[in-house]
Amino acid sequence: MEWKMLRLLNRDRRKYRIQALFMQDDLRRVAREHSKDMAKLDYFEHKNWRGQTHVDRLMEAKVTDTVSGENLAKIGGYNYPVHRAEIGLMNSPGHRANILNKQFNCVGIGIHKSENKIFYFTQNFALRKLIFLKKPKESINIQKGLFLYFKPVGKVQMGVYRLLDASGVIKEKGFPIEKGKNMLNIHFPDIGHYKIEIFSGEKGKIQLNLSNQFSVHVKKGWFL
């Protein structure tokens, strides 16, 4: 359903000759959590029960994009809830403005179904300097490592990935970023659960921005 909404969202953008959005897993997790929270606690607001806005939730998740927006929808009683939700959002001036915002280049879509069969939709939009073209795999073979596919936006020229386990940071390594599509292969010292943080920025500048973060399970062979 989340990927279907992405297709509908990008179809609406194409009608106005606006660049398609890429689904980003870290934005998606934040969106899913808010939809799940609204469904379980029976409310429908941009602010959650802790008083957090979408900006607060993104900051708490260490998503550092400076331009962001959020759309919410709540649908029940329809055979095609995703279509009805996207139609409703496009018919609302504020939500429509987010969907057709040329500044945004990526999105996270999270959908959750409540016990009384009501669907809650959250769309988290952002302007990102480093866009992941494919969702990072959650489970990988230690011999192959993790392959990441991405492309830069603007003047991004270098990146750093940080590898963390339960003890903290165990590896930090820089990598060049070329124009167009890029591929990065990350290898791991042993099997287990790891967290990866990707930073990006311009050459010659000390400050790098956190572009994405995710977890991965590294295993031996082809079976768990």
Tab-separated table of all heavy atoms in Angstrom, residues 15-34:
chain	number	residue	atom	x	y	z
A	15	LYS	N	1.986	14.961	-13.763
A	15	LYS	CA	0.977	15.754	-14.471
A	15	LYS	C	1.398	17.216	-14.575
A	15	LYS	O	1.012	17.916	-15.504
A	15	LYS	CB	-0.373	15.651	-13.756
A	15	LYS	CG	-1.037	14.285	-13.850
A	15	LYS	CD	-2.333	14.273	-13.058
A	15	LYS	CE	-2.984	12.901	-13.088
A	15	LYS	NZ	-4.214	12.864	-12.249
A	16	TYR	N	2.189	17.658	-13.580
A	16	TYR	CA	2.642	19.050	-13.556
A	16	TYR	C	4.132	19.168	-13.885
A	16	TYR	O	4.763	20.158	-13.575
A	16	TYR	CB	2.333	19.665	-12.183
A	16	TYR	CG	0.849	19.760	-11.913
A	16	TYR	CD1	0.166	18.691	-11.329
A	16	TYR	CD2	0.125	20.884	-12.273
A	16	TYR	CE1	-1.200	18.756	-11.096
A	16	TYR	CE2	-1.241	20.962	-12.047
A	16	TYR	CZ	-1.899	19.899	-11.458
A	16	TYR	OH	-3.251	19.969	-11.238
A	17	ARG	N	4.671	18.085	-14.469
A	17	ARG	CA	6.075	18.039	-14.902
A	17	ARG	C	7.038	18.320	-13.758
A	17	ARG	O	8.022	19.055	-13.899
A	17	ARG	CB	6.306	19.026	-16.054
A	17	ARG	CG	5.491	18.693	-17.295
A	17	ARG	CD	5.779	19.649	-18.434
A	17	ARG	NE	4.990	19.301	-19.626
A	17	ARG	CZ	5.039	19.968	-20.773
A	17	ARG	NH1	5.855	21.015	-20.877
A	17	ARG	NH2	4.297	19.595	-21.790
A	18	ILE	N	6.744	17.710	-12.619
A	18	ILE	CA	7.588	17.835	-11.430
A	18	ILE	C	8.310	16.516	-11.220
A	18	ILE	O	7.726	15.429	-11.363
A	18	ILE	CB	6.746	18.195	-10.191
A	18	ILE	CG1	5.990	19.505	-10.428
A	18	ILE	CG2	7.635	18.327	-8.949
A	18	ILE	CD1	5.010	19.846	-9.325
A	19	GLN	N	9.574	16.586	-10.860
A	19	GLN	CA	10.415	15.402	-10.690
A	19	GLN	C	9.819	14.438	-9.666
A	19	GLN	O	9.278	14.837	-8.639
A	19	GLN	CB	11.816	15.831	-10.241
A	19	GLN	CG	12.808	14.695	-10.129
A	19	GLN	CD	14.187	15.188	-9.718
A	19	GLN	OE1	14.382	16.373	-9.528
A	19	GLN	NE2	15.134	14.277	-9.574
A	20	ALA	N	9.925	13.148	-9.959
A	20	ALA	CA	9.407	12.115	-9.063
A	20	ALA	C	10.183	12.092	-7.743
A	20	ALA	O	11.355	12.478	-7.687
A	20	ALA	CB	9.484	10.746	-9.736
A	21	LEU	N	9.520	11.624	-6.698
A	21	LEU	CA	10.138	11.492	-5.373
A	21	LEU	C	10.663	10.074	-5.184
A	21	LEU	O	10.095	9.115	-5.697
A	21	LEU	CB	9.114	11.800	-4.283
A	21	LEU	CG	8.477	13.191	-4.298
A	21	LEU	CD1	7.383	13.272	-3.250
A	21	LEU	CD2	9.522	14.263	-4.055
A	22	PHE	N	11.744	9.949	-4.422
A	22	PHE	CA	12.292	8.650	-4.058
A	22	PHE	C	11.863	8.304	-2.635
A	22	PHE	O	11.945	9.141	-1.741
A	22	PHE	CB	13.825	8.662	-4.132
A	22	PHE	CG	14.373	8.736	-5.526
A	22	PHE	CD1	14.596	9.960	-6.141
A	22	PHE	CD2	14.666	7.578	-6.230
A	22	PHE	CE1	15.100	10.030	-7.427
A	22	PHE	CE2	15.169	7.640	-7.518
A	22	PHE	CZ	15.389	8.873	-8.114
A	23	MET	N	11.426	7.066	-2.432
A	23	MET	CA	11.100	6.598	-1.088
A	23	MET	C	12.398	6.396	-0.310
A	23	MET	O	13.334	5.747	-0.791
A	23	MET	CB	10.326	5.282	-1.147
A	23	MET	CG	9.897	4.763	0.221
A	23	MET	SD	8.314	5.433	0.767
A	23	MET	CE	7.181	4.242	0.012
A	24	GLN	N	12.447	6.961	0.913
A	24	GLN	CA	13.628	6.836	1.766
A	24	GLN	C	13.241	6.126	3.058
A	24	GLN	O	12.267	6.497	3.727
A	24	GLN	CB	14.208	8.209	2.083
A	24	GLN	CG	14.621	8.993	0.847
A	24	GLN	CD	15.792	8.376	0.115
A	24	GLN	OE1	16.947	8.549	0.481
A	24	GLN	NE2	15.504	7.641	-0.956
A	25	ASP	N	14.008	5.090	3.403
A	25	ASP	CA	13.607	4.202	4.486
A	25	ASP	C	13.592	4.891	5.847
A	25	ASP	O	12.744	4.575	6.686
A	25	ASP	CB	14.537	2.983	4.528
A	25	ASP	CG	13.916	1.817	5.267
A	25	ASP	OD1	12.731	1.519	5.017
A	25	ASP	OD2	14.598	1.220	6.116
A	26	ASP	N	14.516	5.827	6.098
A	26	ASP	CA	14.519	6.474	7.412
A	26	ASP	C	13.304	7.392	7.565
A	26	ASP	O	12.680	7.454	8.632
A	26	ASP	CB	15.825	7.233	7.664
A	26	ASP	CG	16.142	8.272	6.598
A	26	ASP	OD1	15.582	8.211	5.495
A	26	ASP	OD2	16.974	9.152	6.881
A	27	LEU	N	12.932	8.090	6.502
A	27	LEU	CA	11.716	8.900	6.536
A	27	LEU	C	10.487	8.007	6.674
A	27	LEU	O	9.518	8.345	7.364
A	27	LEU	CB	11.592	9.722	5.253
A	27	LEU	CG	12.648	10.807	4.996
A	27	LEU	CD1	12.460	11.398	3.611
A	27	LEU	CD2	12.571	11.895	6.044
A	28	ARG	N	10.537	6.867	6.039
A	28	ARG	CA	9.417	5.918	6.067
A	28	ARG	C	9.184	5.390	7.481
A	28	ARG	O	8.035	5.231	7.913
A	28	ARG	CB	9.733	4.765	5.105
A	28	ARG	CG	8.580	3.844	4.783
A	28	ARG	CD	9.103	2.752	3.881
A	28	ARG	NE	8.058	1.946	3.298
A	28	ARG	CZ	8.289	0.857	2.570
A	28	ARG	NH1	9.536	0.484	2.335
A	28	ARG	NH2	7.302	0.167	2.073
A	29	ARG	N	10.257	5.112	8.202
A	29	ARG	CA	10.109	4.601	9.566
A	29	ARG	C	9.442	5.640	10.465
A	29	ARG	O	8.600	5.300	11.302
A	29	ARG	CB	11.480	4.214	10.135
A	29	ARG	CG	12.060	2.953	9.535
A	29	ARG	CD	13.189	2.397	10.386
A	29	ARG	NE	14.264	3.356	10.544
A	29	ARG	CZ	15.304	3.445	9.716
A	29	ARG	NH1	15.384	2.641	8.668
A	29	ARG	NH2	16.254	4.332	9.927
A	30	VAL	N	9.818	6.917	10.313
A	30	VAL	CA	9.210	7.983	11.110
A	30	VAL	C	7.726	8.107	10.763
A	30	VAL	O	6.877	8.256	11.641
A	30	VAL	CB	9.932	9.325	10.867
A	30	VAL	CG1	9.227	10.465	11.594
A	30	VAL	CG2	11.391	9.230	11.338
A	31	ALA	N	7.404	8.032	9.467
A	31	ALA	CA	6.011	8.111	9.029
A	31	ALA	C	5.198	6.934	9.551
A	31	ALA	O	4.067	7.104	10.025
A	31	ALA	CB	5.954	8.156	7.500
A	32	ARG	N	5.757	5.742	9.493
A	32	ARG	CA	5.056	4.554	9.990
A	32	ARG	C	4.753	4.659	11.479
A	32	ARG	O	3.668	4.297	11.932
A	32	ARG	CB	5.905	3.305	9.730
A	32	ARG	CG	5.804	2.749	8.329
A	32	ARG	CD	6.661	1.509	8.208
A	32	ARG	NE	6.494	0.866	6.914
A	32	ARG	CZ	7.191	-0.207	6.541
A	32	ARG	NH1	8.097	-0.724	7.356
A	32	ARG	NH2	6.980	-0.751	5.360
A	33	GLU	N	5.726	5.131	12.234
A	33	GLU	CA	5.539	5.239	13.682
A	33	GLU	C	4.422	6.214	14.024
A	33	GLU	O	3.656	5.987	14.958
A	33	GLU	CB	6.849	5.665	14.359
A	33	GLU	CG	7.865	4.558	14.507
A	33	GLU	CD	7.331	3.384	15.333
A	33	GLU	OE1	6.755	3.633	16.412
A	33	GLU	OE2	7.474	2.233	14.882
A	34	HIS	N	4.322	7.329	13.274
A	34	HIS	CA	3.260	8.293	13.567
A	34	HIS	C	1.892	7.729	13.182
A	34	HIS	O	0.916	7.893	13.937
A	34	HIS	CB	3.505	9.610	12.836
A	34	HIS	CG	2.584	10.703	13.275
A	34	HIS	ND1	2.443	11.075	14.604
A	34	HIS	CD2	1.716	11.507	12.576
A	34	HIS	CE1	1.554	12.051	14.705
A	34	HIS	NE2	1.098	12.313	13.491
